Amino acid sequence: MRTQVAIVGAGPAGLLLSHLLHLRGIESVVLEARSREYVEHRVRAGVLEQGTVDTLVESGAGERLLREGLVHHGIELRFGGQRHRIAFEKLVPGRAITVYGQQEVVKDLIAARLAAGGQILFEVDDVVPEEIEGPRPQVSFTHRSQPLALQADFIAGCDGFHGVCRDAIPPGVLQFFDKEYPFGWLGALAAVAPSSDELIYASNDRGFALHSMRSPQLSRFYLQVAPDEDIEAWPDERIWAELAARLETVPGWNLATGPVVEKGITAMRSFVAEPMQFGRLFLAGDAAHIVPPTGAKGLNLAAFDVTVLTEAFAAWYSSGDAALLDGYSRACLRRVWRAQHFSWWMTTLLHSFDSYDAYDRRLQQSYRDYVCTSEAASTSLAENYVGLGRR
Ligand code: FAD
Ligand code: DHB
């Protein structure tokens, strides 16, 4: 088998890359370890920055997103018995976020690729990027028990944090930056109308809680829990009781409850691998970097990486110019580190840390107060949250 760009992973990064390359007349084949059914139903992120929405819409894959996505012009912070709205329309005029589930983005991109005759091989095994230092890299893999090799000009490692592409880079080349947090997030999807028009980021002595949504009938919640917490210890009644204890902290606000349709626990960490390229292998999205979800940046960073990579491949194929490919990592890492800082900062602002002493808690309180009372501080939060310019 031969193609121009071999893409490992059919998450948002790999699928969007394949779609954008197609629009530039560049061929690719996507290799995915899981089934189509699995990737289309994997519940993850839900907040799209304006730049991500624009990329999807301009690429022709945003029709359903425009119809069903929920455009939000603010978020609420809730702590100390008070609510504070971060008003995007006032602080960052003309910019907003769209709430639309990651698995819906994945469905839309798969449909777009298949409609255009694109090749996505699901349920492949034993994926190994090979010969990445030379001009003829290839990916070997097994599909339906058959050993195969996909030859290409380039390999895009879009296989997420637990993928194999990053590890295919020889030891000593990459530098890793890593931070683990002493908690995880329990995520729950519930068949109940949202109790709020906008997202609520709440925190009290019991910890952090987030009220998000997917549609007028579907709500999405997150709870800070211990990092090694077992989901079996969280029957639905306990989830609702804990959400109520952390969210019903302002007068007159009540949480509506309903059947939980999906739940799971995610560990939280920050991670960056630098550079995001070696030879003919380019890493994009979670394969190169992950952030704690508090700032809702993971999916948006993945989308940004692949728009940069598309431009770089397009320049190389049209004129043989490798300057953008050589600058790929640098161009992405600037934004990656801004998102790393913002995600760490939001996480620190909003979670309870067992390690905090009385002094640390006062500092956190003071910063929360500052964010809620200073327009400069709220603007800083808002401009990072809605996403900085596309470049
Ligand atoms: P992924 O979506 O991870 O896609 C990688 C793809 O590669 C997957 O389909 C995987 O099956 C495939 N793959 C892996 N290994 C191989 C292999 N060896 N061969 C072939 N294919 C392979 N972000 C938020 O902003 N908010 C959230 O609430 C949130 N929740 C999350 C919950 C979880 C459990 C996780 C893991 C992440 C969450 N994120 C969240 C982050 C966000 O979902 C990611 O940043 C986003 O999915 C990155 O997209 P990606 O395409 O780079 O990677
Ligand atoms: C969602 C996830 C996030 O990480 C976040 O910060 C906001 C919303 C969500 O899944 O809806």
Side-chain angles (χ1 to χ4, degrees):
M1 290 172 76
R2 179 159 178 86
T3 190
Q4 290 178 299
V5 181
I7 299 175
V8 184
L15 291 167
L16 182 58
L17 177 63
S18 181
H19 178 60
L20 296 177
L21 289 176
H22 165 71
L23 298 178
R24 298 304 193 90
I26 301 167
E27 272 179 29
S28 63
V29 174
V30 181
L31 304 175
E32 166 60 47
R34 304 286 194 159
S35 68
R36 178 175 178 183
E37 167 79 12
Y38 184 91
V39 298
E40 288 190 342
H41 293 93
R42 189 166 38 193
V43 182
R44 284 189 180 173
V47 171
L48 306 186
E49 293 175 358
Q50 191 63 52
T52 307
V53 171
D54 293 346
T55 300
L56 289 164
V57 171
E58 286 161 18
S59 78
E63 194 208 323
R64 195 162 65 96
L65 160 64
L66 286 179
R67 222 175 37 241
E68 296 178 14
L70 308 167
V71 179
H72 284 200
H73 297 278
I75 55 170
E76 182 181 326
L77 303 181
R78 192 176 282 191
F79 31 64
Q82 297 198 324
R83 51 210 295 187
H84 175 76
R85 182 165 184 265
I86 302 287
F88 303 151
E89 73 274 8
K90 175 169 144 239
L91 301 168
V92 283
R95 290 153 77 189
I97 53 131
T98 300
V99 179
Y100 188 68
Q102 175 168 328
Q103 76 273 29
E104 306 307 322
V105 175
V106 164
K107 279 181 206 159
D108 296 345
L109 287 169
I110 290 177
R113 284 312 293 127
L114 297 182
Q119 242 191 310
I120 308 171
L121 297 186
F122 291 100
E123 298 180 75
V124 302
D125 287 314
D126 311 320
V127 169
V128 184
E130 292 166 349
E131 309 292 335
I132 57 175
E133 281 186 72
R136 293 263 160 270
Q138 66 169 20
V139 183
S140 65
F141 62 99
T142 345
H143 189 230
R144 300 192 181 122
S145 316
Q146 210 190 344
L148 293 166
L150 174 62
Q151 298 174 339
D153 300 322
F154 299 99
I155 301 173
C158 302
D159 51 347
F161 183 63
H162 299 288
V164 294
C165 289
R166 195 175 59 243
D167 292 343
I169 295 175
V173 171
L174 299 181
Q175 196 179 353
F176 301 114
F177 302 85
D178 203 1
K179 182 182 262 313
E180 287 201 24
Y181 297 85
F183 37 75
W185 270 20
L186 183 157
L189 192 65
V192 59
S195 303
S196 164
D197 291 338
E198 294 184 335
L199 271 60
I200 305 169
Y201 287 82
S203 186
N204 67 6
D205 292 344
R206 304 177 71 91
F208 169 78
L210 170 59
H211 183 346
S212 182
M213 62 205 66
R214 288 292 177 270
S215 74
Q217 302 83 30
L218 210 51
S219 300
R220 176 83 173 142
F221 299 96
Y222 297 97
L223 281 169
Q224 173 186 354
V225 294
D228 53 355
E229 193 69 66
D230 182 358
I231 193 68
E232 297 304 322
W234 287 85
D236 297 356
E237 311 75 63
R238 184 175 175 204
I239 294 176
W240 288 118
E242 198 57 42
L243 283 169
R246 297 184 195 184
L247 283 161
E248 288 180 345
T249 55
V250 292
W253 191 92
N254 293 306
L255 179 68
T257 64
V260 173
V261 293
E262 192 269 352
K263 58 185 167 183
I265 293 178
T266 313
M268 282 175 68
R269 72 191 303 177
S270 303
F271 171 85
V272 183
E274 291 188 9
M276 291 165 57
Q277 176 222 348
F278 178 72
R280 293 276 178 130
L281 172 62
F282 292 79
L283 302 175
D286 278 17
H289 43 72
I290 54 174
V291 285
T294 327
K297 289 288 165 237
L299 169 59
N300 294 293
L301 280 181
F304 181 77
D305 288 352
V306 299
T307 58
V308 176
L309 193 52
T310 299
E311 293 303 321
F313 283 141
W316 191 88
Y317 279 109
S318 66
S319 64
D321 185 355
L324 290 183
L325 282 176
D326 293 343
Y328 165 70
S329 181
R330 198 170 359 97
C332 293
L333 284 170
R334 190 160 168 256
R335 193 183 185 89
V336 166
W337 277 108
R338 178 87 302 279
Q340 287 288 338
H341 178 266
F342 177 65
S343 305
W344 165 84
W345 178 81
M346 280 284 274
T347 302
T348 308
L349 182 74
L350 292 167
H351 289 73
S352 300
F353 288 77
D354 289 343
S355 61
Y356 273 11
D357 60 17
Y359 181 86
D360 297 325
R361 277 193 289 278
R362 284 284 192 276
L363 283 187
Q364 190 186 43
Q365 262 171 19
S366 165
Y367 211 97
R368 288 178 177 182
D369 177 52
Y370 180 50
V371 164
C372 296
T373 53
S374 153
E375 185 162 322
S378 316
T379 305
S380 172
L381 193 163
E383 75 170 357
N384 278 281
Y385 192 84
V386 299
L388 298 164
R390 263 204 263 183
R391 280 292 152 91

